[in-house]
Amino acid sequence: MQLLFATVVLCCCVNGLLGVGRLQSVSVSGRLICDGRPAAGVKVKMYEKEFFLDRKMAEVYTDVNGIFTVTGRKREISTIDPKVNVYHKCNYMGLCYKKFGITIPDDYITWGNVPERTYDIGTLNLANKYTGTTTDCLN
């Protein structure tokens, strides 16, 4: 078990240091609203899901209309496993932020620096309850 753990850690380090693997990219767009009004200034982060800790690929904020596009890239031996996290305070007065994640389908991952197409999540109302929603103070 310790040998397997050491091998996984070593592979991750070699991958990052030596540039081993293929460059992959992904793009996601959408519109966020809160009770029918644009959710401006909402933080959207793209992560690559890793075994231990997810690695941030990109971060954007929604514009005045609640619209965003986030594009990330990462060099990886295997196919990347991207997700987008949304951090908001729609109908929430707590000190921290509500957070939910959206996994990006493999069909939208492109080999290379520039994504060939964009995954459109559509318009999401942040007032709705989404599966896996948590509270995040350290985003």
Side-chain angles (χ1 to χ4, degrees):
M1 183 66 173
Q2 290 178 340
L3 180 61
L4 176 61
F5 176 75
T7 303
V8 169
V9 171
L10 180 62
C11 287
C12 290
C13 292
V14 168
N15 180 29
L17 294 174
L18 301 178
V20 175
R22 292 189 273 182
L23 184 62
Q24 302 167 56
S25 58
V26 63
S27 183
V28 178
S29 67
R31 181 169 188 246
L32 304 177
I33 60 173
C34 179
D35 289 329
R37 293 182 301 277
V42 173
K43 186 186 294 186
V44 180
K45 289 184 177 183
M46 180 180 285
Y47 286 93
E48 207 280 303
K49 292 189 254 182
E50 296 283 354
F51 187 71
F52 294 108
L53 288 173
D54 296 340
R55 298 184 78 187
K56 186 170 83 168
M57 295 169 61
E59 176 180 329
V60 298
Y61 290 85
T62 57
D63 67 13
V64 295
N65 297 311
I67 297 171
F68 73 92
T69 300
V70 59
T71 301
R73 54 194 59 79
K74 186 163 185 291
R75 188 171 299 277
E76 187 80 31
I77 294 172
S78 60
T79 303
I80 60 174
D81 193 11
K83 71 174 181 176
V84 169
N85 285 347
V86 176
Y87 303 86
H88 69 91
K89 286 200 166 194
C90 175
N91 296 337
Y92 178 68
M93 301 301 291
L95 294 175
C96 302
Y97 289 83
K98 290 291 185 178
K99 174 184 93 171
F100 66 91
I102 300 168
T103 299
I104 312 308
D106 288 347
D107 297 358
Y108 291 87
I109 298 168
T110 301
W111 300 112
N113 194 40
V114 179
E116 292 175 0
R117 56 192 206 151
T118 300
Y119 182 60
D120 184 357
I121 65 167
T123 299
L124 298 180
N125 186 350
L126 299 177
N128 293 342
K129 295 185 191 277
Y130 294 97
T131 302
T133 298
T134 60
T135 303
D136 187 325
C137 295
L138 301 173
N139 64 62

